[in-house]
mmCIF file of all heavy atoms in Angstrom:
data_model
loop_
_atom_site.group_PDB
_atom_site.id
_atom_site.type_symbol
_atom_site.label_atom_id
_atom_site.label_comp_id
_atom_site.label_asym_id
_atom_site.label_seq_id
_atom_site.Cartn_x
_atom_site.Cartn_y
_atom_site.Cartn_z
ATOM 1 N N GLY Z 14 -5.266 11.772 14.999
ATOM 2 C CA GLY Z 14 -5.150 11.066 13.829
ATOM 3 C C GLY Z 14 -6.301 11.369 12.921
ATOM 4 O O GLY Z 14 -6.301 11.607 11.722
ATOM 5 N N LEU Z 15 -7.531 11.387 13.633
ATOM 6 C CA LEU Z 15 -8.796 11.621 12.806
ATOM 7 C C LEU Z 15 -8.998 12.989 12.253
ATOM 8 O O LEU Z 15 -9.390 13.160 11.146
ATOM 9 C CB LEU Z 15 -9.982 11.305 13.696
ATOM 10 C CG LEU Z 15 -10.114 9.703 14.060
ATOM 11 C CD1 LEU Z 15 -11.293 9.602 15.205
ATOM 12 C CD2 LEU Z 15 -10.621 8.849 12.853
ATOM 13 N N LEU Z 16 -8.632 13.825 13.104
ATOM 14 C CA LEU Z 16 -8.718 15.369 12.573
ATOM 15 C C LEU Z 16 -7.719 15.631 11.571
ATOM 16 O O LEU Z 16 -7.906 16.233 10.555
ATOM 17 C CB LEU Z 16 -8.562 16.320 13.826
ATOM 18 C CG LEU Z 16 -8.578 17.736 13.364
ATOM 19 C CD1 LEU Z 16 -9.899 18.085 12.763
ATOM 20 C CD2 LEU Z 16 -8.311 18.639 14.557
ATOM 21 N N LEU Z 17 -6.436 14.984 11.709
ATOM 22 C CA LEU Z 17 -5.419 15.182 10.742
ATOM 23 C C LEU Z 17 -5.874 14.596 9.329
ATOM 24 O O LEU Z 17 -5.708 15.284 8.352
ATOM 25 C CB LEU Z 17 -4.213 14.544 11.123
ATOM 26 C CG LEU Z 17 -3.012 14.678 10.116
ATOM 27 C CD1 LEU Z 17 -2.678 16.055 9.725
ATOM 28 C CD2 LEU Z 17 -1.688 13.999 10.558
ATOM 29 N N ALA Z 18 -6.457 13.499 9.389
ATOM 30 C CA ALA Z 18 -7.053 12.832 8.106
ATOM 31 C C ALA Z 18 -7.939 13.749 7.416
ATOM 32 O O ALA Z 18 -7.985 13.930 6.244
ATOM 33 C CB ALA Z 18 -7.540 11.528 8.479
ATOM 34 N N ARG Z 19 -8.865 14.387 8.215
ATOM 35 C CA ARG Z 19 -9.839 15.352 7.663
ATOM 36 C C ARG Z 19 -9.258 16.613 7.102
ATOM 37 O O ARG Z 19 -9.638 17.087 6.031
ATOM 38 C CB ARG Z 19 -10.867 15.610 8.853
ATOM 39 C CG ARG Z 19 -11.899 16.604 8.473
ATOM 40 C CD ARG Z 19 -12.917 16.009 7.622
ATOM 41 N NE ARG Z 19 -13.900 16.983 6.929
ATOM 42 C CZ ARG Z 19 -14.688 16.651 6.025
ATOM 43 N NH1 ARG Z 19 -14.748 15.449 5.450
ATOM 44 N NH2 ARG Z 19 -15.611 17.546 5.634
ATOM 45 N N LEU Z 20 -8.236 17.147 7.867
ATOM 46 C CA LEU Z 20 -7.635 18.439 7.409
ATOM 47 C C LEU Z 20 -6.870 18.148 6.084
ATOM 48 O O LEU Z 20 -6.998 19.003 5.102
ATOM 49 C CB LEU Z 20 -6.628 18.984 8.454
ATOM 50 C CG LEU Z 20 -7.280 19.452 9.744
ATOM 51 C CD1 LEU Z 20 -6.222 19.671 10.760
ATOM 52 C CD2 LEU Z 20 -8.170 20.611 9.516
ATOM 53 N N LEU Z 21 -6.125 17.027 6.002
ATOM 54 C CA LEU Z 21 -5.441 16.693 4.791
ATOM 55 C C LEU Z 21 -6.425 16.396 3.696
ATOM 56 O O LEU Z 21 -6.174 16.956 2.502
ATOM 57 C CB LEU Z 21 -4.563 15.538 5.113
ATOM 58 C CG LEU Z 21 -3.471 15.642 6.045
ATOM 59 C CD1 LEU Z 21 -2.704 14.388 6.279
ATOM 60 C CD2 LEU Z 21 -2.477 16.826 5.523
ATOM 61 N N HIS Z 22 -7.487 15.743 3.916
ATOM 62 C CA HIS Z 22 -8.482 15.547 2.780
ATOM 63 C C HIS Z 22 -9.068 16.800 2.276
ATOM 64 O O HIS Z 22 -9.101 16.976 1.104
ATOM 65 C CB HIS Z 22 -9.724 14.636 3.384
ATOM 66 C CG HIS Z 22 -10.873 14.590 2.556
ATOM 67 N ND1 HIS Z 22 -10.924 13.800 1.503
ATOM 68 C CD2 HIS Z 22 -12.000 15.305 2.601
ATOM 69 C CE1 HIS Z 22 -12.135 13.850 0.862
ATOM 70 N NE2 HIS Z 22 -12.821 14.768 1.482
ATOM 71 N N ASN Z 23 -9.291 17.715 3.239
ATOM 72 C CA ASN Z 23 -9.815 19.105 2.809
ATOM 73 C C ASN Z 23 -8.731 19.772 1.969
ATOM 74 O O ASN Z 23 -9.118 20.671 1.107
ATOM 75 C CB ASN Z 23 -10.308 19.908 3.967
ATOM 76 C CG ASN Z 23 -11.521 19.312 4.586
ATOM 77 O OD1 ASN Z 23 -12.184 18.436 4.041
ATOM 78 N ND2 ASN Z 23 -11.882 19.843 5.783
ATOM 79 N N ALA Z 24 -7.503 19.590 2.198
ATOM 80 C CA ALA Z 24 -6.444 20.276 1.380
ATOM 81 C C ALA Z 24 -6.112 19.388 0.218
ATOM 82 O O ALA Z 24 -5.091 19.803 -0.471
ATOM 83 C CB ALA Z 24 -5.205 20.383 2.391
ATOM 84 N N GLY Z 25 -6.833 18.255 -0.011
ATOM 85 C CA GLY Z 25 -6.465 17.537 -1.263
ATOM 86 C C GLY Z 25 -5.190 16.653 -1.138
ATOM 87 O O GLY Z 25 -4.632 16.399 -2.155
ATOM 88 N N ILE Z 26 -4.856 16.332 0.107
ATOM 89 C CA ILE Z 26 -3.676 15.498 0.268
ATOM 90 C C ILE Z 26 -4.089 14.095 0.835
ATOM 91 O O ILE Z 26 -5.009 14.003 1.726
ATOM 92 C CB ILE Z 26 -2.824 16.124 1.286
ATOM 93 C CG1 ILE Z 26 -2.216 17.434 0.844
ATOM 94 C CG2 ILE Z 26 -1.614 15.261 1.713
ATOM 95 C CD1 ILE Z 26 -1.567 18.349 1.826
ATOM 96 N N GLU Z 27 -3.643 13.041 0.111
ATOM 97 C CA GLU Z 27 -4.011 11.655 0.504
ATOM 98 C C GLU Z 27 -3.471 11.196 1.805
ATOM 99 O O GLU Z 27 -2.267 11.452 2.157
ATOM 100 C CB GLU Z 27 -3.489 10.749 -0.514
ATOM 101 C CG GLU Z 27 -4.383 10.329 -1.681
ATOM 102 C CD GLU Z 27 -3.662 9.372 -2.578
ATOM 103 O OE1 GLU Z 27 -2.869 8.544 -2.092
ATOM 104 O OE2 GLU Z 27 -3.977 9.386 -3.720
ATOM 105 N N SER Z 28 -4.219 10.374 2.546
ATOM 106 C CA SER Z 28 -3.622 9.732 3.784
ATOM 107 C C SER Z 28 -4.285 8.392 4.034
ATOM 108 O O SER Z 28 -5.382 8.110 3.450
ATOM 109 C CB SER Z 28 -3.885 10.552 5.031
ATOM 110 O OG SER Z 28 -5.369 10.603 5.345
ATOM 111 N N VAL Z 29 -3.607 7.539 4.859
ATOM 112 C CA VAL Z 29 -4.228 6.223 5.290
ATOM 113 C C VAL Z 29 -4.049 6.333 6.813
ATOM 114 O O VAL Z 29 -3.031 6.661 7.356
ATOM 115 C CB VAL Z 29 -3.442 5.095 4.684
ATOM 116 C CG1 VAL Z 29 -3.997 3.751 5.319
ATOM 117 C CG2 VAL Z 29 -3.733 5.017 3.163
ATOM 118 N N VAL Z 30 -5.220 6.049 7.489
ATOM 119 C CA VAL Z 30 -5.135 5.874 9.098
ATOM 120 C C VAL Z 30 -4.996 4.464 9.370
ATOM 121 O O VAL Z 30 -6.002 3.632 9.072
ATOM 122 C CB VAL Z 30 -6.359 6.574 9.599
ATOM 123 C CG1 VAL Z 30 -6.215 6.585 11.066
ATOM 124 C CG2 VAL Z 30 -6.462 8.091 9.050
ATOM 125 N N LEU Z 31 -4.130 4.059 10.190
ATOM 126 C CA LEU Z 31 -4.080 2.755 10.805
ATOM 127 C C LEU Z 31 -4.569 2.806 12.289
ATOM 128 O O LEU Z 31 -3.850 3.611 12.975
ATOM 129 C CB LEU Z 31 -2.716 2.191 10.695
ATOM 130 C CG LEU Z 31 -2.056 2.214 9.266
ATOM 131 C CD1 LEU Z 31 -0.587 1.714 9.407
ATOM 132 C CD2 LEU Z 31 -2.891 1.243 8.403
ATOM 133 N N GLU Z 32 -5.400 2.041 12.720
ATOM 134 C CA GLU Z 32 -5.898 2.106 14.217
ATOM 135 C C GLU Z 32 -5.903 0.634 14.689
ATOM 136 O O GLU Z 32 -6.590 -0.165 14.199
ATOM 137 C CB GLU Z 32 -7.238 2.792 14.289
ATOM 138 C CG GLU Z 32 -7.985 2.483 15.637
ATOM 139 C CD GLU Z 32 -7.287 3.031 16.896
ATOM 140 O OE1 GLU Z 32 -6.734 4.173 16.798
ATOM 141 O OE2 GLU Z 32 -7.120 2.306 17.778
ATOM 142 N N SER Z 33 -5.242 0.455 15.822
ATOM 143 C CA SER Z 33 -5.076 -0.879 16.307
ATOM 144 C C SER Z 33 -6.402 -1.396 17.004
ATOM 145 O O SER Z 33 -6.690 -2.588 16.882
ATOM 146 C CB SER Z 33 -3.915 -0.996 17.424
ATOM 147 O OG SER Z 33 -4.232 -0.026 18.429
ATOM 148 N N ARG Z 34 -7.308 -0.530 17.441
ATOM 149 C CA ARG Z 34 -8.582 -0.952 18.146
ATOM 150 C C ARG Z 34 -9.646 -1.042 17.181
ATOM 151 O O ARG Z 34 -9.546 -0.583 16.052
ATOM 152 C CB ARG Z 34 -8.880 -0.057 19.289
ATOM 153 C CG ARG Z 34 -7.796 0.195 20.350
ATOM 154 C CD ARG Z 34 -7.668 -1.116 21.096
ATOM 155 N NE ARG Z 34 -6.952 -0.863 22.292
ATOM 156 C CZ ARG Z 34 -7.186 -1.439 23.467
ATOM 157 N NH1 ARG Z 34 -8.155 -2.301 23.652
ATOM 158 N NH2 ARG Z 34 -6.452 -1.185 24.520
ATOM 159 N N ASP Z 35 -10.910 -1.563 17.560
ATOM 160 C CA ASP Z 35 -11.968 -1.591 16.711
ATOM 161 C C ASP Z 35 -12.765 -0.218 16.839
ATOM 162 O O ASP Z 35 -12.416 0.521 17.731
ATOM 163 C CB ASP Z 35 -12.828 -2.802 16.899
ATOM 164 C CG ASP Z 35 -13.440 -2.916 18.304
ATOM 165 O OD1 ASP Z 35 -13.664 -1.891 18.867
ATOM 166 O OD2 ASP Z 35 -13.745 -3.992 18.782
ATOM 167 N N ARG Z 36 -13.695 0.045 15.929
ATOM 168 C CA ARG Z 36 -14.307 1.301 15.915
ATOM 169 C C ARG Z 36 -15.202 1.446 17.184
ATOM 170 O O ARG Z 36 -15.156 2.591 17.789
ATOM 171 C CB ARG Z 36 -15.337 1.224 14.716
ATOM 172 C CG ARG Z 36 -16.079 2.462 14.562
ATOM 173 C CD ARG Z 36 -16.977 2.604 13.296
ATOM 174 N NE ARG Z 36 -17.766 3.714 13.238
ATOM 175 C CZ ARG Z 36 -18.623 3.959 12.200
ATOM 176 N NH1 ARG Z 36 -18.760 3.042 11.196
ATOM 177 N NH2 ARG Z 36 -19.377 5.084 12.259
ATOM 178 N N GLU Z 37 -15.936 0.427 17.688
ATOM 179 C CA GLU Z 37 -16.658 0.499 18.911
ATOM 180 C C GLU Z 37 -15.897 1.008 20.028
ATOM 181 O O GLU Z 37 -16.179 1.897 20.798
ATOM 182 C CB GLU Z 37 -17.209 -0.938 19.088
ATOM 183 C CG GLU Z 37 -17.802 -1.267 20.437
ATOM 184 C CD GLU Z 37 -19.164 -0.605 20.623
ATOM 185 O OE1 GLU Z 37 -19.809 -0.346 19.603
ATOM 186 O OE2 GLU Z 37 -19.715 -0.557 21.756
ATOM 187 N N TYR Z 38 -14.684 0.488 20.181
ATOM 188 C CA TYR Z 38 -13.752 0.873 21.304
ATOM 189 C C TYR Z 38 -13.401 2.334 21.193
ATOM 190 O O TYR Z 38 -13.535 3.109 22.122
ATOM 191 C CB TYR Z 38 -12.570 0.007 21.208
ATOM 192 C CG TYR Z 38 -11.596 0.359 22.435
ATOM 193 C CD1 TYR Z 38 -11.716 -0.472 23.676
ATOM 194 C CD2 TYR Z 38 -10.533 1.158 22.349
ATOM 195 C CE1 TYR Z 38 -10.839 -0.180 24.675
ATOM 196 C CE2 TYR Z 38 -9.686 1.462 23.438
ATOM 197 C CZ TYR Z 38 -9.790 0.821 24.584
ATOM 198 O OH TYR Z 38 -9.045 1.116 25.675
ATOM 199 N N VAL Z 39 -12.953 2.735 20.013
ATOM 200 C CA VAL Z 39 -12.518 4.044 19.888
ATOM 201 C C VAL Z 39 -13.638 5.182 20.061
ATOM 202 O O VAL Z 39 -13.462 6.183 20.680
ATOM 203 C CB VAL Z 39 -12.011 4.253 18.350
ATOM 204 C CG1 VAL Z 39 -11.692 5.773 18.066
ATOM 205 C CG2 VAL Z 39 -10.638 3.521 18.207
ATOM 206 N N GLU Z 40 -14.787 4.682 19.734
ATOM 207 C CA GLU Z 40 -15.999 5.550 19.839
ATOM 208 C C GLU Z 40 -16.508 5.696 21.245
ATOM 209 O O GLU Z 40 -17.327 6.685 21.620
ATOM 210 C CB GLU Z 40 -17.037 5.213 18.830
ATOM 211 C CG GLU Z 40 -16.679 5.517 17.425
ATOM 212 C CD GLU Z 40 -17.897 5.301 16.489
ATOM 213 O OE1 GLU Z 40 -18.840 4.596 16.907
ATOM 214 O OE2 GLU Z 40 -17.731 5.880 15.334
ATOM 215 N N HIS Z 41 -16.096 4.860 22.144
ATOM 216 C CA HIS Z 41 -16.738 4.779 23.430
ATOM 217 C C HIS Z 41 -15.668 4.980 24.620
ATOM 218 O O HIS Z 41 -16.022 5.035 25.802
ATOM 219 C CB HIS Z 41 -17.541 3.528 23.656
ATOM 220 C CG HIS Z 41 -18.688 3.591 22.863
ATOM 221 N ND1 HIS Z 41 -18.652 2.953 21.515
ATOM 222 C CD2 HIS Z 41 -20.038 4.173 23.005
ATOM 223 C CE1 HIS Z 41 -19.847 3.210 21.029
ATOM 224 N NE2 HIS Z 41 -20.666 3.852 21.809
ATOM 225 N N ARG Z 42 -14.406 5.333 24.201
ATOM 226 C CA ARG Z 42 -13.436 5.443 25.255
ATOM 227 C C ARG Z 42 -13.679 6.869 25.968
ATOM 228 O O ARG Z 42 -13.470 7.893 25.284
ATOM 229 C CB ARG Z 42 -12.028 5.455 24.535
ATOM 230 C CG ARG Z 42 -10.930 5.426 25.331
ATOM 231 C CD ARG Z 42 -9.586 5.192 24.560
ATOM 232 N NE ARG Z 42 -9.687 5.741 23.077
ATOM 233 C CZ ARG Z 42 -8.906 5.373 22.097
ATOM 234 N NH1 ARG Z 42 -7.992 4.502 22.271
ATOM 235 N NH2 ARG Z 42 -9.007 5.904 20.888
ATOM 236 N N GLN Z 43 -13.967 6.820 27.278
ATOM 237 C CA GLN Z 43 -14.323 8.015 27.945
ATOM 238 C C GLN Z 43 -13.044 8.830 28.295
ATOM 239 O O GLN Z 43 -12.212 8.377 28.950
ATOM 240 C CB GLN Z 43 -15.069 7.699 29.316
ATOM 241 C CG GLN Z 43 -16.519 7.637 29.229
ATOM 242 C CD GLN Z 43 -17.155 8.927 28.612
ATOM 243 O OE1 GLN Z 43 -16.788 10.060 28.902
ATOM 244 N NE2 GLN Z 43 -18.119 8.742 27.781
ATOM 245 N N ARG Z 44 -13.065 10.051 27.770
ATOM 246 C CA ARG Z 44 -11.962 10.859 28.120
ATOM 247 C C ARG Z 44 -12.314 12.351 28.152
ATOM 248 O O ARG Z 44 -13.147 12.594 29.079
ATOM 249 C CB ARG Z 44 -10.923 10.689 27.046
ATOM 250 C CG ARG Z 44 -10.141 9.419 27.260
ATOM 251 C CD ARG Z 44 -8.964 9.428 26.372
ATOM 252 N NE ARG Z 44 -8.178 8.301 26.670
ATOM 253 C CZ ARG Z 44 -7.017 8.002 25.865
ATOM 254 N NH1 ARG Z 44 -6.685 8.756 24.910
ATOM 255 N NH2 ARG Z 44 -6.185 7.000 26.174
ATOM 256 N N ALA Z 45 -11.824 13.226 27.341
ATOM 257 C CA ALA Z 45 -11.906 14.667 27.582
ATOM 258 C C ALA Z 45 -13.312 15.230 27.416
ATOM 259 O O ALA Z 45 -14.224 14.547 26.688
ATOM 260 C CB ALA Z 45 -10.985 15.433 26.556
ATOM 261 N N GLY Z 46 -13.603 16.334 27.905
ATOM 262 C CA GLY Z 46 -14.895 16.930 27.774
ATOM 263 C C GLY Z 46 -14.880 18.378 27.396
ATOM 264 O O GLY Z 46 -15.993 18.977 26.983
ATOM 265 N N ILE Z 47 -13.768 19.067 27.368
ATOM 266 C CA ILE Z 47 -13.724 20.513 27.204
ATOM 267 C C ILE Z 47 -12.935 20.821 25.867
ATOM 268 O O ILE Z 47 -11.810 20.571 25.717
ATOM 269 C CB ILE Z 47 -13.044 21.122 28.364
ATOM 270 C CG1 ILE Z 47 -13.853 20.976 29.645
ATOM 271 C CG2 ILE Z 47 -12.925 22.720 28.078
ATOM 272 C CD1 ILE Z 47 -15.114 21.858 29.634
#
Side-chain angles (χ1 to χ4, degrees):
L15 290 167
L16 178 62
L17 177 58
R19 178 70 187 169
L20 295 172
L21 294 176
H22 169 78
N23 290 349
I26 299 169
E27 263 183 32
S28 72
V29 171
V30 184
L31 305 174
E32 165 59 49
S33 57
R34 302 290 193 144
D35 62 25
R36 180 176 177 181
E37 166 77 15
Y38 182 90
V39 171
E40 290 188 341
H41 293 92
R42 191 169 33 195
Q43 267 310 316
R44 286 195 169 174
I47 296 286

